[in-house]
Amino acid sequence: ALSLPSNMIFQTVAKCAFHCVKSVNPSVRAGGLIALSVIAEGCVRATRENLETLLPIAMRGVADAASPVRRAACVCIGQWLEQLGRRGMSDYHSAILPSTLRLLTDSDASVQEAAMFVWEGYADLLSPDEIRPYVKPLMNQLTRMLNSDHLRHQIMAITSIGACAVASKVEFLPFFERVIVILKQAMAATDNAR
């Protein structure tokens, strides 16, 4: 999508992806969403102009019964956040963030990680006022994830907490002490393991 004119790529790939996301096969649905995420890099303008059509497709993916599709939907949204930035995605946070917050408790760890990718992307875009409604439920979930047995979850949670702290400014203060205690415990455990 980077080497060819976007008008040659976008419509063709989008048409194929729209067909894929209707498949009964979850791998094909996930593939359609990944295709939509990949073309965003070379087709920023076309993606932005078609976001009203594309976003409902991704949101259906977020709610899909198959975890690979939920993960692919989060990856897709995360890529759109990276490529389109504030001008393309900030207006949609109220539709996207509540759904991805629920995915932080998904039974599939890869879905949880992909949902954190979306949250980090929005943390970079939103003002403290825009992120305020999400800070408490997000921080409650992320601090629980710090206690996970999965190291990757802990790392992703720390990254997401940092992004949330920067974005939310003073709204983060009620969570500061709890996060610091958990981080000190993790650092002590790491020192003891050496």
Side-chain angles (χ1 to χ4, degrees):
L2 292 174
S3 301
L4 297 170
S6 65
N7 60 345
M8 294 177 71
I9 296 294
F10 184 82
Q11 292 302 326
T12 304
V13 174
K15 183 178 177 181
C16 180
F18 294 162
H19 178 71
C20 289
V21 297
K22 295 175 184 172
S23 173
V24 295
N25 183 332
S27 296
V28 174
R29 291 195 306 272
L33 288 163
I34 294 299
L36 291 173
S37 75
V38 171
I39 63 167
E41 184 174 0
C43 303
V44 172
R45 189 164 143 221
T47 301
R48 186 179 292 124
E49 289 170 356
N50 289 280
L51 208 51
E52 293 289 328
T53 303
L54 298 172
L55 194 57
I57 293 168
M59 295 310 295
R60 278 194 303 276
V62 166
D64 198 278
S67 63
V69 179
R70 293 191 302 275
R71 181 187 174 284
C74 288
V75 169
C76 184
I77 294 167
Q79 286 298 317
W80 291 344
L81 284 163
E82 282 187 10
Q83 299 305 320
L84 305 180
R86 178 171 258 297
R87 225 175 95 210
M89 295 295 291
S90 64
D91 292 342
Y92 301 102
H93 67 86
S94 61
I96 294 170
L97 292 179
S99 297
T100 55
L101 180 63
R102 287 189 292 276
L103 293 182
L104 292 176
T105 60
D106 197 276
S107 60
D108 185 326
S110 69
V111 174
Q112 293 176 6
E113 291 172 12
M116 282 189 268
F117 176 53
V118 172
W119 277 95
E120 287 176 44
Y122 263 114
D124 290 341
L125 296 180
L126 298 180
S127 70
D129 287 339
E130 291 170 316
I131 205 164
R132 180 176 293 122
Y134 310 111
V135 172
K136 185 175 181 179
L138 177 62
M139 288 305 302
N140 286 337
Q141 184 56 36
L142 291 174
T143 52
R144 279 193 291 274
M145 293 176 94
L146 283 176
N147 293 316
S148 170
D149 292 335
H150 301 292
L151 178 60
R152 182 127 170 94
H153 271 151
Q154 294 171 344
I155 292 168
M156 294 286 295
I158 289 168
T159 304
S160 294
I161 287 170
C164 185
V166 169
S168 64
K169 312 264 188 259
V170 296
E171 300 292 328
F172 181 77
L173 287 175
F175 304 96
F176 179 79
E177 189 62 37
R178 180 169 41 158
V179 170
I180 291 300
V181 167
I182 294 169
L183 290 176
K184 284 181 180 178
Q185 291 169 351
M187 290 176 11
T190 302
D191 287 342
N192 292 338
R194 289 184 190 173

